[in-house]
Amino acid sequence: MKTVTVLGCTGSIGCSTVDLLHQSGDDVAVRVLVGGRNVSLLAEQAKALRAEQAVIADEALLPELKSLLAGTDVKASGGRAAVIEAAGVPADWTMAAITGAAGLEPTLAAVKNGRTVALANKEALVCAGDVMLRAVKDADATLLPVDSEHNAVFQAMADRQEDQVEKIILTASGGPFRTSTLEQMEAASPAQALKHPTWSMGAKISIDSASMFNKGLEVIEAARIFGLTEDRIDVLVHPQSVVHGMVQYTDGSLIAQMGSADMRIPIAHCLAWPKRMATTSPRLDLATFGTLVFEAPDPVRFPALRLARQALRDGGAASTILSAANEVAVEAFLNNRIGFLDIPRIVEAVMTALGAPAINDLDAVLHWDSEARRAAEERVLKRAA
């Protein structure tokens, strides 16, 4: 029986993971479920999966969690320290799906168990790539990519001939503003930016998809996962979201992974790896599409890719600064404090101001994450004034 922990169980990735765990039945034993603020859903999941422990990140909600779990054998705890401690509970397989920089320390705690960690937290490798990869190596842990694009590349490299890879190609849907003008994007509302054409995701990742910062973060993440320089990572806009990733080999072969736009597919691949498991995900019917479209991303309307590549080339804390500034700018946009195109403007301004200082440990990562957030918030205030 495989023991499992889910960090971020109440988010979109977490809920899809929980759905698959239900399908797995007696083949898995759930050790810990960690949720953010949705205390009722966390309690419901913990009872349904007979989890050993349920942890709510917002400590103020702990009394309510305890009340909801009264009469069960599920242990309840809450707060930041409890989340990190719970992430370190030994488990064969951990889903790391706490979004943003808040997921860094819990993911590191899970990695140090030396087991398998399914990584859905982009920031773990974007903000703390060297630190995270060093921890994986030291613990002899296995890191599996959950992002549909990275998982697609991972599947396309199934023969493990990484030395024969010429380049990889990540696909992007183009988001809700794929065909919009700069003027339309300048005036875009949060509601418009949240309307993703193919994927159902949380607010932060939906806005990142609309700005293509999501794809920029994925370029950085891919460089860390697959050990590639940024010039060997291409991005193509593919609005149908059928092809999720491709690998170009030195012999000219192009291997693509395809599937329906359902995150349960890459999650299931990681959960059952190195085997596969059945899912109820919709089956892909290529005949219904007829034509698949691919196009180069527009660097003028979507500068996020340029900024991400710059951060990757600059090294040091540059990608940490990019990610943190983007988080602040996205939150400000969602709260109607800045415009949509102010997001990349603020990120670029913060990157220019802070540069690419060296980072050697998690403390340095957290320091520059904090500095970038402060600098971004200052620029938000100026634009909102």
Side-chain angles (χ1 to χ4, degrees):
M1 182 180 290
K2 179 183 290 186
T3 55
V4 170
T5 286
V6 183
L7 308 177
C9 63
T10 56
S12 59
I13 295 293
C15 287
S16 293
T17 304
V18 167
D19 181 55
L20 290 168
L21 293 176
H22 281 299
Q23 295 179 42
S24 299
D26 294 334
D27 292 337
V28 298
V30 178
R31 299 220 62 189
V32 182
L33 294 177
V34 175
R37 299 194 74 258
N38 193 337
V39 65
S40 58
L41 178 57
L42 173 59
E44 178 186 319
Q45 292 174 336
K47 288 187 283 190
L49 291 173
R50 299 189 298 278
E52 294 178 22
Q53 185 177 356
V55 185
I56 190 77
D58 187 343
E59 194 169 8
L61 296 172
L62 180 56
E64 184 179 353
L65 179 62
K66 287 182 175 179
S67 175
L68 290 169
L69 292 174
T72 74
D73 294 327
V74 182
K75 178 185 174 184
S77 57
R80 178 72 180 163
V83 169
I84 296 170
E85 182 181 355
V89 171
D92 297 323
W93 188 91
T94 298
M95 167 58 76
I98 298 175
T99 58
L104 287 179
E105 290 178 280
T107 302
L108 269 174
V111 162
K112 289 175 181 176
N113 283 324
R115 309 290 179 85
T116 298
V117 175
L119 188 64
N121 172 284
K122 288 181 173 60
E123 289 76 12
L125 287 179
V126 171
C127 299
D130 292 341
V131 175
M132 188 65 62
L133 293 176
R134 189 162 58 245
V136 169
K137 183 178 180 181
D138 290 346
D140 195 25
T142 299
L143 204 61
L144 298 178
V146 174
D147 265 353
S148 59
E149 296 80 5
H150 301 105
N151 185 266
V153 170
F154 184 66
Q155 292 194 49
M157 288 185 182
D159 59 7
R160 298 292 176 267
Q161 295 190 56
E162 290 94 340
D163 60 327
Q164 298 300 312
V165 172
E166 193 169 280
K167 67 177 180 179
I168 65 174
I169 303 167
L170 308 177
T171 59
S173 69
F177 303 136
R178 182 175 68 89
T179 60
S180 298
T181 65
L182 275 171
E183 291 74 21
Q184 290 171 326
M185 293 169 73
E186 194 77 68
S189 68
Q192 290 172 317
L194 287 168
K195 288 183 179 178
H196 197 280
T198 51
W199 293 95
S200 175
M201 306 176 291
K204 164 65 164 61
I205 195 171
S206 294
I207 300 302
D208 280 349
S209 180
S211 68
M212 288 198 74
F213 260 108
N214 187 48
K215 209 53 51 180
L217 296 176
E218 287 174 7
V219 168
I220 298 172
E221 191 179 4
R224 312 273 201 246
I225 294 171
F226 303 111
L228 299 173
T229 51
E230 62 90 14
D231 58 305
R232 294 173 64 196
I233 306 169
D234 281 355
V235 173
L236 283 177
V237 174
H238 170 50
Q240 292 83 13
S241 297
V242 169
V243 177
H244 303 299
M246 295 174 270
V247 177
Q248 177 81 61
Y249 286 95
T250 53
D251 63 0
S253 297
L254 184 65
I255 309 297
Q257 187 272 342
M258 298 185 288
S260 59
D262 187 339
M263 281 305 299
R264 288 177 298 176
I265 295 174
I267 295 169
H269 179 259
C270 292
L271 182 59
W273 186 86
K275 298 180 179 180
R276 291 184 183 266
M277 63 180 286
T279 75
T280 57
S281 299
R283 273 32 181 181
L284 187 62
D285 181 2
L286 289 174
T288 62
F289 288 94
T291 301
L292 298 180
V293 175
F294 299 91
E295 57 196 32
D298 182 349
V300 176
R301 290 182 300 128
F302 300 100
L305 283 172
R306 171 179 58 82
L307 296 175
R309 290 187 182 279
Q310 178 187 323
L312 194 50
R313 290 192 299 268
D314 290 347
S319 58
T320 306
I321 291 164
L322 173 142
S323 179
N326 178 59
E327 278 195 45
V328 170
V330 167
E331 185 67 24
F333 170 67
L334 286 170
N335 290 323
N336 292 298
R337 298 173 64 200
I338 61 172
F340 180 72
L341 291 183
D342 286 330
I343 296 173
R345 292 176 186 135
I346 287 171
V347 172
E348 185 163 18
V350 173
M351 289 176 66
T352 301
L354 299 185
I359 49 172
N360 298 309
D361 54 32
L362 185 60
D363 286 342
V365 171
L366 296 175
H367 169 75
W368 287 109
D369 176 89
S370 176
E371 286 296 301
R373 289 173 188 277
R374 178 191 56 74
E377 183 59 33
E378 288 177 358
R379 285 156 177 80
V380 167
L381 287 171
K382 287 179 182 178
R383 289 190 175 273

